[in-house]
């Protein structure tokens, strides 16, 4: 049994937003809440809780968040606090009922497989985000639209691979690198590739059978092997800046 003083209960009242009033504190600590918003995980666990389990959760969020909520069934909506700069490795992977994800301003990076095979439908990314790491959204089949903010510099390999219903993607002019197969086997129908991206990587859009229109802006220099293999491209505008096909 974990004992909390009144400050803990007051903190939970002020910082945790739970839809169902019948949810218990135990349910919250067991990650069974349907929805919660955490303003300051670190303050809570550092100041008020001495239990080894909670101490481990604190460390997990800040330093070792590998798979922290992996497979949690009842998690439907998250608002990820901006004072935590990274969403950890596999942190919300396989959360099949997770529908809405909002990352607050301050988040810089989404780690490997952070939302792999989750049920996310609505994704709100902050203008502080710089990196979307490998397989971050691998096979998120409910994801249909992604607006990547102007702050993003790198999208790593297979970041959105096999998001079969992802039809609308906006690439910002800030993006400087995209990894192999980043958008392969998605439902993208058209794409505009900014000139800030020197290389369209190998297999970038491989298997996007609904992709018909590709607009490549001036500034792109290289097009990688099989970048548009097995697509339905009928309109392809290649600027004079393209010098290499590798």
């Amino acid at each position: 049994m974990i004992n909390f003083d009144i400050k803990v209960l007051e903190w939970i009242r002020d910082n945790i937003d739970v839809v169902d009033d019948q949810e218990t504190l135990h349910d919250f600590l067991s990650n069974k809440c349907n929805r919660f918003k955490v303003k300051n995980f670190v303050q809570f666990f550092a100041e008020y809780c001495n239990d080894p389990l909670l101490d481990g959760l604190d460390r997990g969020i800040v330093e070792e968040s590998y798979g922290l909520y992996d497979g949690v069934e009842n998690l439907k909506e998250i608002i990820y606090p901006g004072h935590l700069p990274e969403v950890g490795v596999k942190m919300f992977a396989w959360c099949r009922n997770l529908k809405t994800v909002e990352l607050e301003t301050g988040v810089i990076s989404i780690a490997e497989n952070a939302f792999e095979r989750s049920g996310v439908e609505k994704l709100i990314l902050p203008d502080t985000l710089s990196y979307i790491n490998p397989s971050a959204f691998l096979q998120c089949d409910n994801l249909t639209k992604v607006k990547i903010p102007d702050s993003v510099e790198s999208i790593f390999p297979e970041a959105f691979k096999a998001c079969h219903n992802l039809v609308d993607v906006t690439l910002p002019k800030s993006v400087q690198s995209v990894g192999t197969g980043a958008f392969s086997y998605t439902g993208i129908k058209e794409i505009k590739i900014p000139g800030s991206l020197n290389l369209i990587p190998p297999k970038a859009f491989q298997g996007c059978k609904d992709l018909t229109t590709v607009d490549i802006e001036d500034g792109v220099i290289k097009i990688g092997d099989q970048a548009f293999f097995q697509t339905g491209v009928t309109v392809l505008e290649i600027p004079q800046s393209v010098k290499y096909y590798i």
Side-chain angles (χ1 to χ4, degrees), residues 12-219:
I12 292 173
R13 179 198 64 198
D14 295 336
N15 291 271
I16 306 301
D17 179 11
V18 183
V19 170
D20 185 353
D21 291 337
Q22 301 304 311
E23 296 284 4
T24 65
L25 176 58
H26 179 269
D27 287 333
F28 162 68
L29 295 175
S30 301
N31 305 323
K32 293 180 180 178
C33 289
N34 286 333
R35 177 178 182 272
F36 61 85
K37 176 177 179 179
V38 178
K39 295 179 181 177
N40 198 330
F41 259 122
V42 179
Q43 175 187 345
F44 174 48
F45 292 113
E47 293 185 11
Y48 299 139
C49 300
N50 295 317
D51 184 272
L53 171 64
L54 300 180
D55 183 55
L57 182 56
D58 174 31
R59 289 197 309 274
I61 292 170
V62 180
E63 300 173 359
E64 303 170 4
S65 56
Y66 184 97
L68 188 62
Y69 296 95
D70 191 344
V72 173
E73 291 293 329
N74 292 330
L75 187 59
K76 296 181 180 180
E77 179 178 354
I78 59 169
I79 302 175
Y80 195 83
H83 68 271
L84 300 179
E86 181 175 64
V87 181
V89 176
K90 288 193 173 183
M91 197 168 190
F92 299 99
W94 291 92
C95 292
R96 304 299 295 179
N97 294 314
L98 178 60
K99 302 302 181 186
T100 302
V101 173
E102 177 180 351
L103 307 185
E104 291 186 337
T105 299
V107 176
I108 297 172
S109 176
I110 303 173
E112 295 92 327
N113 306 89
F115 296 95
E116 174 188 356
R117 290 180 171 86
S118 69
V120 60
E121 297 175 359
K122 182 179 181 181
L123 179 62
I124 302 173
L125 302 175
D127 58 9
T128 53
L129 188 67
S130 295
Y131 309 106
I132 302 176
N133 282 284
S135 304
F137 296 93
L138 176 68
Q139 203 170 330
C140 291
D141 283 337
N142 295 331
L143 194 60
T144 60
K145 180 178 181 180
V146 174
K147 185 180 186 303
I148 299 171
D150 290 336
S151 55
V152 169
E153 299 176 5
S154 299
I155 302 170
F156 287 85
E158 301 184 353
F160 294 92
K161 180 180 179 179
C163 293
H164 298 109
N165 295 307
L166 179 58
V167 299
D168 188 355
V169 172
T170 302
L171 290 176
K173 294 184 181 296
S174 60
V175 68
Q176 298 177 15
S177 66
V178 172
T180 300
F183 297 96
S184 58
Y185 300 98
T186 62
I188 293 174
K189 296 182 178 181
E190 59 182 84
I191 191 72
K192 186 173 185 177
I193 300 173
S196 58
L197 186 65
N198 291 333
L199 167 66
I200 301 175
K203 301 181 180 180
F205 300 94
Q206 178 180 351
C208 297
K209 295 182 179 180
D210 295 327
L211 179 59
T212 58
T213 303
V214 177
D215 181 4
I216 304 174
E217 291 187 344
D218 188 61

